[in-house]
Amino acid sequence: MNTLTKTQFKFPNQTAVYKGKVRDVYTLANHKILMIATDRLSAFDVVMPKGIPYKGQILNQIATKMMQDTQDIVPNWLEATPDPNVAYGESCEPFKVEMVIRGYLAGHAAREYKAGKRELCGVKLPEGLKENDKLPSPIITPATKAEQGDHDEDIAKEDILKKGIVSKEDYEVLEKYTYLLFERGTKLAQERGLILVDTKYEFGKTANGKIVLIDEIHTPDSSRYFYADTYEELQQNNEPQKQLSKEFVRQWLIENNFQGKEGQTLPEMTDEYVNTVSERYIELYEKITGEKFIKAPLENIEKRIGDNITAFLKTK
């Protein structure tokens, strides 16, 4: 299947391009950016060799919907979506931390806890928890943002302030916004029969100094969801939770002896496995939005995107 794994655009008034793990960001004059969600799949901070059909469209459309559903409580950068894979909005200076918030002991936190750690990013964890248990209250466990190929690193709030990565005044806003967004995300998930387990938010400052939500929100790449109807029974029986997130990809990689560590070799992703991943992403889209996923044409994705953006920019 045709997928979008790289872009090579040259738009009018384009001043810079940044290629992230999943998104390609084109900076334009007048403090505007175009963010193109590709079909690249990243796990353990490594980009997989094959793209996942429709993944970029799914991420972009979920993030767009979630930004619309939270803009009344937290301002965000988004202004328009000229193409199913593309978002357009205000250029921001990103904060160099990701605000990770957890309501349950899952994923990375569970692996750290299992290894004997009882403190994560300066936050103390109670004894006696098992994987996927609900935490007494949501905790923020920030991470430093890594360049492609490097690993995001856990960091305590105290270290962020001490190293001057974020000012105390700004960090308090990031903290407040993170709790507000997680509360809203939890409510939106509950309405769809899901549990928002953990997620991460990224923030930036606009040219006039306003702090806004940037990048993505409540997508399967940035969040973990459990099914609410089976949660209690599976926990009581010490069984793995049925979840919608990228964790199933991480588990597959772990089973194939890959965690992004030096000397490890990426396992082969067969076309069959790639299509399975695509189906899981579509399932999450439909579950979290409550809408049927409409597949955009794949024949020539890059041309479609280029044409749509060019037409859109003529209206600006």
Side-chain angles (χ1 to χ4, degrees):
M1 262 191 179
N2 193 15
T3 57
L4 183 73
T5 55
K6 61 176 188 285
T7 67
Q8 306 284 348
F9 293 117
K10 203 76 177 110
F11 299 114
N13 300 318
Q14 182 176 313
T15 58
V17 185
Y18 169 76
K19 306 284 177 88
K21 289 170 194 155
V22 173
R23 287 170 175 77
D24 292 350
V25 181
Y26 290 80
T27 305
L28 309 176
N30 303 323
H31 306 295
K32 300 297 180 188
I33 61 167
L34 286 158
M35 189 182 287
I36 301 173
T38 72
D39 296 323
R40 296 193 294 264
L41 175 65
S42 157
F44 296 118
D45 298 311
V46 175
V47 176
M48 301 295 115
K50 287 185 180 178
I52 305 300
Y54 305 109
K55 178 176 174 285
Q57 180 189 346
I58 288 164
L59 295 190
N60 192 54
Q61 291 189 331
I62 291 176
T64 298
K65 182 171 172 54
M66 290 294 169
M67 286 204 177
Q68 290 166 347
D69 288 347
T70 57
Q71 64 188 358
D72 60 315
I73 53 168
V74 173
N76 64 62
W77 75 284
L78 185 67
E79 292 176 25
T81 49
D83 178 272
N85 285 63
V86 181
Y88 169 89
E90 205 157 358
S91 176
C92 302
E93 181 63 39
F95 287 98
K96 290 185 168 61
V97 291
E98 293 179 341
M99 299 297 282
V100 181
I101 182 164
R102 305 174 183 277
Y104 293 73
L105 186 73
H108 170 67
R111 289 191 281 271
E112 294 288 282
Y113 194 89
K114 200 173 179 180
K117 293 186 182 175
R118 293 296 177 268
E119 191 175 298
L120 195 59
C121 301
V123 181
K124 291 197 165 30
L125 297 169
E127 290 289 344
L129 292 177
K130 65 181 182 184
E131 186 170 1
N132 300 330
D133 273 354
K134 187 172 185 178
L135 297 170
S137 60
I139 62 170
I140 293 176
T141 58
T144 54
K145 273 190 66 58
E147 293 300 318
Q148 190 163 328
D150 293 333
H151 290 277
D152 295 343
E153 299 284 346
D154 289 344
I155 187 167
K157 172 184 176 177
E158 289 69 29
D159 291 330
I160 291 170
L161 300 180
K162 192 161 59 178
K163 292 177 181 178
I165 299 169
V166 181
S167 72
K168 185 175 186 293
E169 184 187 13
D170 285 350
Y171 192 85
E172 283 170 1
V173 176
L174 302 191
E175 232 174 18
K176 176 187 159 191
Y177 282 175
T178 298
Y179 283 121
L180 282 172
L181 290 167
F182 191 68
E183 185 182 4
R184 176 65 60 85
T186 298
K187 183 171 172 289
L188 291 168
Q190 280 171 348
E191 290 168 5
R192 302 276 170 223
L194 296 172
I195 294 168
L196 180 58
V197 177
D198 52 42
T199 190
K200 66 174 182 181
Y201 304 114
E202 295 188 42
F203 298 93
K205 255 189 190 176
T206 63
N208 61 11
K210 184 181 180 184
I211 295 175
V212 299
L213 174 68
I214 61 171
D215 200 42
E216 62 183 346
I217 166 176
H218 300 157
T219 73
D221 272 22
S222 65
S223 317
R224 189 188 325 269
Y225 293 92
F226 291 157
Y227 283 88
D229 59 350
T230 53
Y231 173 77
E232 292 294 347
E233 187 185 345
L234 291 171
Q235 275 307 93
Q236 283 170 11
N237 295 334
N238 295 316
E239 291 179 42
Q241 285 295 329
K242 188 184 178 196
Q243 60 175 290
L244 282 168
S245 73
K246 211 167 57 172
E247 185 65 18
F248 72 95
V249 176
R250 294 188 196 99
Q251 290 300 333
W252 177 79
L253 289 167
I254 290 168
E255 284 161 19
N256 285 276
N257 305 310
F258 185 83
Q259 281 181 270
K261 293 174 182 169
E262 209 173 322
Q264 293 183 333
T265 307
L266 264 171
E268 188 203 347
M269 295 177 77
T270 63
D271 289 347
E272 186 182 13
Y273 181 71
V274 164
N275 286 329
T276 303
V277 177
S278 182
E279 284 161 13
R280 290 287 288 270
Y281 271 91
I282 290 170
E283 183 187 356
L284 178 66
Y285 175 90
E286 295 186 338
K287 191 71 184 169
I288 194 60
T289 64
E291 297 168 2
K292 179 88 178 137
F293 179 66
I294 297 163
K295 296 174 177 178
L298 295 184
E299 289 73 53
N300 193 333
I301 307 176
E302 198 160 3
K303 184 178 185 304
R304 184 200 82 206
I305 289 171
D307 290 349
N308 284 339
I309 291 174
T310 300
F312 170 77
L313 290 177
K314 283 178 181 168
T315 69
K316 293 286 124 189

